[in-house]
Amino acid sequence: MHEVDFQAEAPADFGTDVLSVPQGQMMDLQVRMESVHEGVLVTGTVSASAVGPCVRCLDDLDLPVNNRFQELFVWPDRAQHHREVDAEADEQDEHQIVDEKIDLEPVLRDAVLPSLPFQPVCRDDCPGLCSDCGARLEDDPDHHHELIDPRWAALEALAPLASPSGDVDNEEKRN
Ligand SMILES: [Zn+2]
Ligand SMILES: [Zn+2]
């Protein structure tokens, strides 16, 4: 068994449309490699931080990424045998040791990407933006718009202090 802690740069597109670990950012890896019959069983954790906008207020977010992974990398000459033993292991998702090396990238993608939230928010009660003008509601909690029904707009101009209920009836009768 061999344990190793190291850092690696995040590859391109390491994330979703919303959140990703920026390319080149260092990710911390703790990896344990165990020799098993067919190859090497790799277990570990990956830590990094993903960035992206809050889906409500569009503020930049920095979310910690911390995921465990485990994968069997098979020796090429044992691959056929491994497939016979484990019916579920087809060639597609089989990981092989190539030239005495293992490629962790696809394993890390499988571990991290599905765990990233689809709708990240800066905090659960983020009030977001005004749907009418885009103002940040957090900066202006009393923010609101006088919503005037366009049919009343002309009436407002004529009688700004009129009570809407009574006048609407009159307006409709006059029409
Ligand atoms: Zn927010
Ligand atoms: Zn507004």
Side-chain angles (χ1 to χ4, degrees):
M1 189 181 83
H2 186 54
E3 285 182 308
V4 58
D5 291 358
F6 63 102
Q7 288 196 314
E9 287 184 9
D13 301 321
F14 197 74
T16 63
D17 287 346
V18 190
L19 283 174
S20 61
V21 181
Q23 184 176 6
Q25 195 202 74
M26 284 299 174
M27 306 194 290
D28 291 310
L29 291 140
Q30 292 181 300
V31 179
R32 188 177 73 189
M33 291 166 279
E34 291 168 86
S35 179
V36 295
H37 182 66
E38 290 127 321
V40 176
L41 182 65
V42 178
T43 311
T45 58
V46 54
S47 308
S49 57
V51 298
C54 166
V55 293
R56 291 189 202 150
C57 69
L58 306 180
D59 271 7
D60 288 334
L61 293 181
D62 212 324
L63 290 187
V65 166
N66 215 305
N67 292 98
R68 290 182 58 77
F69 55 88
Q70 183 171 64
E71 196 61 60
L72 175 67
F73 287 78
V74 295
W75 295 111
D77 59 343
R78 306 266 174 89
Q80 184 58 39
H81 171 73
H82 176 61
R83 251 170 266 148
E84 284 160 10
V85 173
D86 184 353
E88 286 175 19
D90 60 49
E91 223 162 331
Q92 281 266 297
D93 52 34
E94 183 178 83
H95 298 267
Q96 281 196 20
I97 301 167
V98 179
D99 297 335
E100 310 267 307
K101 287 181 181 160
I102 61 174
D103 180 8
L104 277 180
E105 184 178 327
V107 178
L108 296 179
R109 284 186 185 280
D110 287 351
V112 172
L113 271 52
S115 78
L116 295 172
F118 275 115
Q119 304 214 304
V121 287
C122 58
R123 50 171 226 258
D124 285 344
D125 60 349
C126 169
L129 303 176
C130 171
S131 56
D132 288 316
C133 70
R136 282 174 54 95
L137 297 180
E138 186 171 67
D139 299 339
D140 186 3
D142 296 328
H143 182 91
H144 69 286
H145 295 269
E146 298 294 346
L147 289 179
I148 297 170
D149 187 312
R151 289 168 301 176
W152 291 16
L155 186 63
E156 289 270 324
L158 293 173
L161 300 176
S163 137
S165 51
D167 283 351
V168 162
D169 283 337
N170 291 340
E171 179 84 349
E172 280 170 357
K173 276 171 203 152
R174 279 202 297 275
N175 289 344

